[in-house]
Amino acid sequence: MAVSFPKCPSSPLPPLQTRNRAWSSPPLQVGDSSKWALLEATKRCHLCVSATNGGSAVAPVEPSKKVQDSGTKTTPTDHSTKVENGIRPTVFSSNEFQDLKTGPDNSGRESTVSITVVGASGDLAKKKIFPALFALYYEGFLPKHFTIFGYARSKMTDSELREMVSRTLNCRIDQRENCDAKMEEFLKRCFYHSGQYDSEAHFIELDKKLKHHEGSRISNRLYYLSIPPNIFLDVVKCTSLAASSENGWTRVIVEKPFGRDAESSASLTRGLKQYLHEDQIFRIDHYLGKELVENLSVLRFSNLVFEPLWSRQYIRNVQIIFSEDFGTEGRGGYFDSYGIIRDIMQNHLLQIVALFAMETPTSLEAEDIRNEKVKVLRSMKTLEIDDVVIGQYKSHTRGGVVYPGYTDDKTVPNDSLTPTFAAAALFINNARWDGVPFLMKAGKALHTKRAEIRVQFRHVPGNLYKKCFGTDLDRATNELVIRVQPDEAIYLKINNKIPGLGMRLDRSNLNLHYAARYSKEIPCAYERLLLDAIEGERRLFIRSDELDAAWALFTPLLKDLEEKRIAPELYPYGSRGPVGAHYLAAKYNVRWGDLGAEH
């Protein structure tokens, strides 16, 4: 039976280097009878495929924008199911739809995914990437046909790579069944190729190995660059020239840091786009894959109780807090060239602010969400020195144990002024958030390890019970806390009466504690992001204009700090950070929420 499906509006792409071979799949012809062709067509037209036997095979994401195949014209219609050109759309079951993920193309060939971890011998690959890939495999999220290659300069055999990887793999507590067998099956799909990062010849050899495992299938290739940024372009050039897919897609995941400032970031983007289209570049910020960060938009946009309150009218301040209870131990040399502002604030924390403060997107499509995030970043006031406090941890003795200071690290210069702590006040100049301080704080070697978002609401006007709180009205303020890590939770602080004959008030928490509510272990952020990259979902990855807007906020500040050689305030290892952070908050009549009795 011939299958009819709508034509997609054409949107010309900027020309690519001809050496970058086929980053998209071959064009499909109207009338192609295979279900695989139907699936590919629905993906391109941004339509949904119903996985139920009784529903329509094709349903539009936006009903008002559905189009019919009518030659050269496209006209909007309603979204009811119609017989077009005398042919009713094909309907298939959820099992059949699952098979289509790696099913045949219109030539009858199956597809495969080759995942190459570049920098496979590094800590990130060993501790995060390979374990995340195994978790996806264990839960059945990887395609039927896949191969994993490690690529690095280190000399290593396939069996040595498997031995190295096996030491970091484990099954989740709630999924121990057949764990050893699954590990063995996974490791059989892992291979290694040694080569230089700037050698086209070595990548040609890699390409031959990939083709051997791909066979006659449609080859899709994903490269994860777990390497220093100064060799990104060498690897991207070599993969583009020598090891990109000839008949499927090629995608590249790029790890932060994305430059050191606006200029170097723009230069890196220009370099990447010499060999890749923007849609092929997946700039990863693993914090966007955190369960509670992804839940942020769900909490706001699917609960009527919160969305009306999400503005300057009811919110007094917003705090984004990141703290680690350890120093740079072992990576002081790397950290000293970037510092806490570049390492944490400009990416992780700023991305959370953008997600928190954005307007309601028109849909959950990646571009709609990223468009709203860019608008927020472009509305922010550029940071100045007066908006920031920086600090650096010093040696401290506690309980007979001596904890070293930052400059005690042998890889760090003795006169280093690199901040290991920073607090900043940001403001968004738009109608929703005008005048609301967004306070960010990040630091190493502090008293606790945590990452959380704290939303402090305004005082109740004419509060009838203010006498019960004394002069400290902040104790009566409602506060929403989203604890990203550890021990994930969402809780709302409310005021309530203590049982008894008197009128005594207490502050209690309405608490969603993830460990108590859900028995399933929370996936690692890298699992979600790797799966999204394989499926081509870009919602949680950073677009180039988003990156430009983020650097535009911080670059003037970073240049001032370095040119004027501003000395950071020293704070003891294991303390709550420099005193200046409290003065910064007090400047805007704010008290840091992580300093209360609960901490």
Side-chain angles (χ1 to χ4, degrees), residues 64-124:
S64 62
K65 294 183 180 178
K66 182 180 176 183
V67 294
Q68 291 180 333
D69 180 15
S70 56
T72 58
K73 296 181 180 180
T74 58
T75 55
T77 69
D78 61 62
H79 78 274
S80 58
T81 306
K82 293 187 177 181
V83 176
E84 299 183 11
N85 300 328
I87 301 170
R88 185 174 298 279
T90 301
V91 179
F92 44 90
S93 69
S94 58
N95 289 336
E96 290 177 308
F97 177 70
Q98 189 70 16
D99 291 340
L100 292 179
K101 290 203 303 185
T102 55
D105 72 342
N106 54 9
S107 65
R109 288 189 295 170
E110 290 186 312
S111 64
T112 182
V113 174
S114 298
I115 304 167
T116 302
V117 181
V118 182
S121 58
D123 280 350
L124 178 63

Side-chain angles (χ1 to χ4, degrees), residues 320 322 340-341 345 349 388-392 419-424 440-444 557 561 571 578 581 584 592:
I320 318 292
F322 175 95
I340 198 73
I341 296 176
M345 296 186 85
L349 304 194
V388 177
V389 169
I390 59 173
Q392 187 184 96
T420 60
F421 175 99
M440 296 197 309
K441 181 169 68 170
K444 290 184 173 293
L557 168 70
L561 290 174
Y571 62 95
L584 177 68
W592 290 107

Side-chain angles (χ1 to χ4, degrees), residues 311-354:
S311 71
R312 62 189 297 272
Q313 186 174 356
Y314 296 102
I315 292 179
R316 188 159 59 112
N317 68 81
V318 180
Q319 301 174 23
I320 318 292
I321 298 170
F322 175 95
S323 64
E324 292 179 335
D325 57 359
F326 54 88
T328 57
E329 289 112 12
R331 56 190 296 262
Y334 163 81
F335 184 86
D336 198 65
S337 61
Y338 288 95
I340 198 73
I341 296 176
R342 291 184 176 95
D343 195 39
I344 302 296
M345 296 186 85
Q346 184 272 339
N347 38 70
H348 298 335
L349 304 194
L350 191 61
Q351 284 293 315
I352 292 175
V353 170

Side-chain angles (χ1 to χ4, degrees), residues 275-412:
Y275 307 101
L276 300 171
H277 188 273
E278 176 66 27
D279 285 347
Q280 292 178 273
I281 306 169
F282 287 69
R283 299 174 187 83
I284 191 171
D285 184 334
H286 75 272
Y287 248 67
L288 293 180
K290 297 280 188 182
E291 187 69 36
L292 271 292
V293 174
E294 190 164 15
N295 202 14
L296 183 58
S297 58
V298 177
L299 182 73
R300 174 182 171 188
F301 296 126
S302 69
N303 293 287
L304 182 62
V305 68
F306 289 120
E307 175 57 19
L309 305 180
W310 223 258
S311 71
R312 62 189 297 272
Q313 186 174 356
Y314 296 102
I315 292 179
R316 188 159 59 112
N317 68 81
V318 180
Q319 301 174 23
I320 318 292
I321 298 170
F322 175 95
S323 64
E324 292 179 335
D325 57 359
F326 54 88
T328 57
E329 289 112 12
R331 56 190 296 262
Y334 163 81
F335 184 86
D336 198 65
S337 61
Y338 288 95
I340 198 73
I341 296 176
R342 291 184 176 95
D343 195 39
I344 302 296
M345 296 186 85
Q346 184 272 339
N347 38 70
H348 298 335
L349 304 194
L350 191 61
Q351 284 293 315
I352 292 175
V353 170
L355 276 173
F356 179 96
M358 70 180 183
E359 296 297 319
T360 307
T362 56
S363 77
L364 292 177
E365 290 294 315
E367 296 313 306
D368 291 332
I369 292 174
R370 298 199 289 187
N371 286 344
E372 295 303 329
K373 287 168 63 183
V374 170
K375 289 178 186 177
V376 171
L377 296 175
R378 289 176 175 169
S379 299
M380 286 186 179
K381 174 190 170 188
T382 303
L383 279 169
E384 299 175 355
I385 287 182
D386 290 343
D387 303 321
V388 177
V389 169
I390 59 173
Q392 187 184 96
Y393 67 88
K394 63 180 180 179
S395 178
H396 179 61
T397 302
R398 186 176 59 208
V401 178
V402 178
Y403 295 90
Y406 175 67
T407 54
D408 293 333
D409 188 324
K410 294 180 180 179
T411 63
V412 174

Side-chain angles (χ1 to χ4, degrees), residues 469 475-478 493-497 505-508:
F469 293 100
R475 291 193 64 239
T477 299
N478 298 125
K493 295 184 177 183
I494 63 165
N495 302 313
N496 62 282
K497 178 182 176 297
L505 301 190
D506 189 22
R507 198 178 192 193
S508 302

Side-chain angles (χ1 to χ4, degrees), residues 23-167:
W23 62 274
S24 61
S25 51
L28 296 169
Q29 301 299 320
V30 174
D32 196 318
S33 60
S34 72
K35 292 177 181 178
W36 179 245
L38 175 61
L39 178 65
E40 287 299 307
T42 57
K43 283 181 180 177
R44 295 181 185 191
C45 295
H46 304 288
L47 302 178
C48 298
V49 179
S50 172
T52 59
N53 286 324
S56 167
V58 179
V61 173
E62 297 180 75
S64 62
K65 294 183 180 178
K66 182 180 176 183
V67 294
Q68 291 180 333
D69 180 15
S70 56
T72 58
K73 296 181 180 180
T74 58
T75 55
T77 69
D78 61 62
H79 78 274
S80 58
T81 306
K82 293 187 177 181
V83 176
E84 299 183 11
N85 300 328
I87 301 170
R88 185 174 298 279
T90 301
V91 179
F92 44 90
S93 69
S94 58
N95 289 336
E96 290 177 308
F97 177 70
Q98 189 70 16
D99 291 340
L100 292 179
K101 290 203 303 185
T102 55
D105 72 342
N106 54 9
S107 65
R109 288 189 295 170
E110 290 186 312
S111 64
T112 182
V113 174
S114 298
I115 304 167
T116 302
V117 181
V118 182
S121 58
D123 280 350
L124 178 63
K126 289 186 286 189
K127 295 177 181 178
K128 297 293 184 181
I129 302 172
F130 285 112
L133 288 170
F134 171 66
L136 291 175
Y137 172 71
Y138 187 97
E139 298 201 15
F141 283 108
L142 290 184
K144 177 182 177 183
H145 301 292
F146 76 92
T147 305
I148 297 173
F149 260 85
Y151 184 100
R153 290 177 294 207
S154 306
K155 297 295 182 181
M156 200 184 308
T157 63
D158 292 344
S159 59
E160 287 172 336
L161 172 76
R162 290 165 185 162
E163 174 62 26
M164 179 191 78
V165 170
S166 66
R167 292 195 291 267

